[in-house]
Amino acid sequence: MSHRGIPARTVERLTLYRRVLRRLGNEGQTHVFSHQLATLSNTSSAQVRRDLMSVSFSGGTPKHGYPAAGLIARIDAVLDAGEEQKLALVGIGNLGRALLSYFSFKQSKFKLVAAFDKDRDKVGRVISGCRCYPFESLVEVVREEGIKLGVVSVPAAAAQEVAEQMVEAGIIGILNFAPTPLRLPKPVFAEQIDITMTLEKIAYFALK
Amino acid sequence: MSHRGIPARTVERLTLYRRVLRRLGNEGQTHVFSHQLATLSNTSSAQVRRDLMSVSFSGGTPKHGYPAAGLIARIDAVLDAGEEQKLALVGIGNLGRALLSYFSFKQSKFKLVAAFDKDRDKVGRVISGCRCYPFESLVEVVREEGIKLGVVSVPAAAAQEVAEQMVEAGIIGILNFAPTPLRLPKPVFAEQIDITMTLEKIAYFALK
DNA sequence: TGTTGTGAATCTCTTCACAGCT
DNA sequence: AGCTGTGAAGAGATTCACAACA
């Protein structure tokens, strides 16, 4: 039932479809065709249908397409929606603060509940509703709160050490903004968001 | 010579290799084996050798591996390094300001030279060395400065309009932080950095 | 021996094409 | 007529495996 083994690319597109479907729902649209969902998600109708197959959804009809609500429910079931997820953030610099603000406004299942920094001036405060602790208390706080996901927004030189501490504390999923690859034990799932690398790619492909 | 047609994944890894190589260079290491570069980049030695093939680099020897400097030079040549690239940013919110700060500190070929926002309170100032203009002057300023790459950090609802204005102004590469896919004419290369989607993916794969 | 450079095999993802349905 | 669901084909990326070499 709970379909593990969905390819990463498909998971990415499913979150996209869900956002599009929610918006369509708000606009009063109850059904959608694969080619519409495709256009709104920058992909092909065949890709949409294939993705829906991979979550075993087959509630579409030639007449009306897919029911938006049913589709959202199926994606929710696969992606464990609803279950609120606590996040720990390490690195309260400009990016860290932007993330704190972003997650305090945005209603989302992800909640930044603890932030950490080595700079004593930054700890003790509450920023965007999130308490800031000294880096040394990372393991303790993360364990107490039962936090499973972490966000790294420290300089590249500190990222590996921070990530290792996170793993030590029981974190099993890491979003890394530092421009350095993390080497971590297999069970930990880490993903990198590398702004400069992405720009480099854009520059390469845009400038012929 | 200037090898267009390199796969996106390879371009990504090449920027990574280059960063690793620069660091090794600074540490006095003059040569590197494919398996070392692989370990430091979270990939396989076969992948490294394959990637180097795709930029026609074959300066490795069984005895010492690859010369770091030569390899960096080849990657630079392929990725058009050195050529400073001006960026326009639209959306001076928390993320926008974090980006302005990031690029003012970071020495890099990418320079944020103009920022735009619809909020009159935010324009006229200079933030992190970057002048802030009203959104209406986007086309004019971008054309005058000859800016080719843009960064979108506005709310999802405004992103499509902003991107279209960018294209109107002659921008051909866009980095989009808004959680909505952009639909743009083919010659424009747009890439999305979607923080929530990435978290969703991490949650899915990390939590069983 | 240990490594590079590379054809071939494998694996993964995407697109095609069409039977079946409404 | 137009769409869904899906097997089959195609394209792309990664890994294997080994000849050539220092």
Side-chain angles (χ1 to χ4, degrees):
Chain A
M1 197 68 179
S2 57
H3 275 272
R4 296 296 163 173
I6 298 176
R9 285 286 166 63
T10 299
V11 171
E12 291 177 15
R13 283 188 299 264
L14 287 171
T15 70
L16 241 165
Y17 299 157
R18 181 168 58 180
R19 275 207 293 246
V20 170
L21 289 164
R22 284 194 189 125
R23 182 157 55 78
L24 292 179
N26 289 341
E27 290 167 3
Q29 201 172 323
T30 62
H31 289 72
V32 66
F33 293 114
S34 61
H35 67 264
Q36 297 178 306
L37 203 42
T39 303
L40 295 169
S41 310
N42 267 346
T43 185
S44 68
S45 64
Q47 184 70 77
V48 168
R49 296 198 301 276
R50 178 69 58 194
D51 288 337
L52 299 192
M53 271 184 76
S54 78
V55 296
S56 313
F57 186 87
S58 54
T61 67
K63 186 74 173 174
H64 302 105
Y66 303 95
L71 200 36
I72 290 173
R74 187 76 197 99
I75 297 174
D76 279 353
V78 170
L79 301 186
D80 284 330
E83 298 178 18
E84 181 174 302
Q85 275 301 330
K86 296 181 189 174
L87 303 181
L89 177 127
V90 179
I92 313 175
N94 285 292
L95 178 59
R97 270 188 290 261
L99 292 170
L100 287 169
S101 162
Y102 181 76
F103 282 101
S104 70
F105 279 109
K106 183 131 189 149
Q107 71 156 133
S108 141
K109 72 170 181 176
F110 298 106
K111 303 289 174 195
L112 270 167
V113 296
F116 301 86
D117 204 294
K118 276 185 177 160
D119 184 347
R120 310 306 283 208
D121 296 349
K122 287 172 182 165
V123 311
R125 289 190 283 159
V126 172
I127 299 180
S128 301
C130 178
R131 196 170 298 275
C132 301
Y133 302 89
F135 179 64
E136 298 79 50
S137 56
L138 176 75
V139 174
E140 186 192 329
V141 174
V142 165
R143 283 203 179 134
E144 252 169 34
E145 293 268 2
I147 301 172
K148 291 293 166 224
L149 304 177
V151 179
V152 175
S153 58
V154 300
Q160 181 66 34
E161 186 210 339
V162 165
E164 283 168 10
Q165 282 290 301
M166 282 182 167
V167 173
E168 170 78 20
I171 279 179
I172 54 179
I174 295 177
L175 173 52
N176 174 32
F177 284 92
T180 190
L182 298 176
R183 269 150 333 107
L184 298 171
K186 275 166 300 220
V188 179
F189 186 89
E191 191 83 358
Q192 196 172 350
I193 287 185
D194 189 325
I195 297 170
T196 302
M197 188 235 263
T198 307
L199 275 173
E200 213 92 54
K201 186 168 43 152
I202 292 169
Y204 178 80
F205 287 106
L207 310 174
K208 210 194 4 19
Chain B
M1 196 69 177
S2 55
H3 274 271
R4 297 299 164 169
I6 298 175
R9 286 286 169 61
T10 300
V11 171
E12 292 177 15
R13 283 188 299 264
L14 287 171
T15 69
L16 241 165
Y17 300 156
R18 181 169 57 182
R19 275 207 292 244
V20 170
L21 289 165
R22 283 197 190 123
R23 182 158 55 77
L24 292 179
N26 288 342
E27 292 167 3
Q29 201 172 323
T30 62
H31 289 72
V32 66
F33 293 115
S34 61
H35 67 265
Q36 297 178 306
L37 202 43
T39 303
L40 295 169
S41 310
N42 267 345
T43 186
S44 67
S45 64
Q47 184 70 78
V48 168
R49 295 198 301 276
R50 179 69 58 193
D51 288 338
L52 299 193
M53 271 184 77
S54 79
V55 296
S56 314
F57 188 86
S58 54
T61 67
K63 187 75 173 173
H64 301 106
Y66 303 96
L71 200 35
I72 291 172
R74 187 76 197 99
I75 296 174
D76 279 353
V78 170
L79 302 185
D80 283 333
E83 298 179 16
E84 181 174 303
Q85 274 301 331
K86 296 181 191 175
L87 303 180
L89 177 128
V90 179
I92 313 176
N94 286 292
L95 178 58
R97 270 187 290 261
L99 292 169
L100 288 168
S101 163
Y102 181 74
F103 282 101
S104 71
F105 281 108
K106 184 128 187 151
Q107 72 156 131
S108 142
K109 72 170 181 176
F110 298 107
K111 303 288 175 197
L112 271 167
V113 296
F116 303 85
D117 204 295
K118 277 185 175 160
D119 183 348
R120 310 306 284 209
D121 296 349
K122 287 173 182 164
V123 310
R125 289 189 283 160
V126 172
I127 300 179
S128 300
C130 178
R131 195 169 298 272
C132 301
Y133 302 89
F135 179 65
E136 298 79 51
S137 55
L138 176 74
V139 173
E140 186 192 329
V141 175
V142 165
R143 283 205 180 131
E144 251 169 36
E145 292 268 4
I147 300 172
K148 291 293 167 224
L149 304 178
V151 179
V152 175
S153 57
V154 300
Q160 181 66 33
E161 187 210 338
V162 165
E164 283 169 10
Q165 282 289 300
M166 282 181 167
V167 173
E168 169 78 20
I171 280 179
I172 54 178
I174 294 177
L175 173 53
N176 174 32
F177 284 93
T180 191
L182 299 176
R183 269 150 334 106
L184 298 171
K186 273 164 301 219
V188 179
F189 185 88
E191 190 85 357
Q192 197 172 348
I193 286 186
D194 189 325
I195 296 170
T196 302
M197 188 236 263
T198 307
L199 275 173
E200 213 94 52
K201 188 169 38 154
I202 292 168
Y204 178 80
F205 287 106
L207 309 173
K208 195 178 46 24

